[in-house]
Amino acid sequence: LMAKSMARTIRRAGYEVEVASNGIEAGIQLERYSPDIVTLDLQMPGMSGFDVLEALKANDKYAGIKVLIVSAATKVKMLEVMEIGANDVLEKPFKADELKSKLDALASQK
């Protein structure tokens, strides 16, 4: 549900969107679409967002992808993900325009 509403917001902001519901799907879609930005929740079924982030940053092919963590996690966890290599964090709950402005900022960092 959250992913669907985020996808709508992101599309309205002018970006192409693909949604993955777990880490394995995300891996397949990374191969297929080579995205510029990935939004990642820390709490996902199977592989956690931490695992996905670490895998992304450890792989030269994906290391340049900007990662926006979207989560209701604690401040400490949010700091941890920044240390692992996330580019920005967005705390749940958030407003659509907050998501858009974070994406716009990451998109302009190329």
Side-chain angles (χ1 to χ4, degrees):
L1 194 71
M2 170 64 86
K4 275 198 177 125
S5 79
M6 281 180 64
R8 254 196 321 272
T9 298
I10 296 167
R11 273 192 200 99
R12 277 196 206 113
Y15 297 94
E16 285 177 47
V17 182
E18 294 299 332
V19 177
S21 52
N22 58 51
I24 291 163
E25 229 175 82
I28 293 166
Q29 293 194 1
L30 275 171
E31 278 295 312
R32 191 178 292 157
Y33 300 108
S34 313
D36 296 317
I37 302 172
V38 169
T39 61
L40 197 53
D41 195 328
L42 295 180
Q43 277 106 19
M44 292 190 303
M47 241 176 136
S48 78
F50 278 105
D51 297 334
V52 175
L53 178 61
E54 284 180 330
L56 271 176
K57 293 303 167 183
N59 184 329
D60 289 343
K61 186 175 176 185
Y62 303 131
I65 295 174
K66 305 278 185 244
V67 180
L68 174 62
I69 301 291
V70 180
S71 179
T74 62
K75 291 264 186 273
V76 173
K77 282 220 166 56
M78 294 301 223
L79 285 171
E80 273 177 49
V81 296
M82 294 299 283
E83 280 171 22
I84 297 171
N87 298 88
D88 204 352
V89 294
L90 179 60
E91 282 183 69
K92 289 181 188 172
F94 57 86
K95 293 183 175 66
D97 58 340
E98 292 175 283
L99 174 59
K100 182 189 180 319
S101 68
K102 295 257 183 194
L103 290 171
D104 289 344
L106 289 173
S108 69
Q109 282 176 25
K110 282 186 185 173

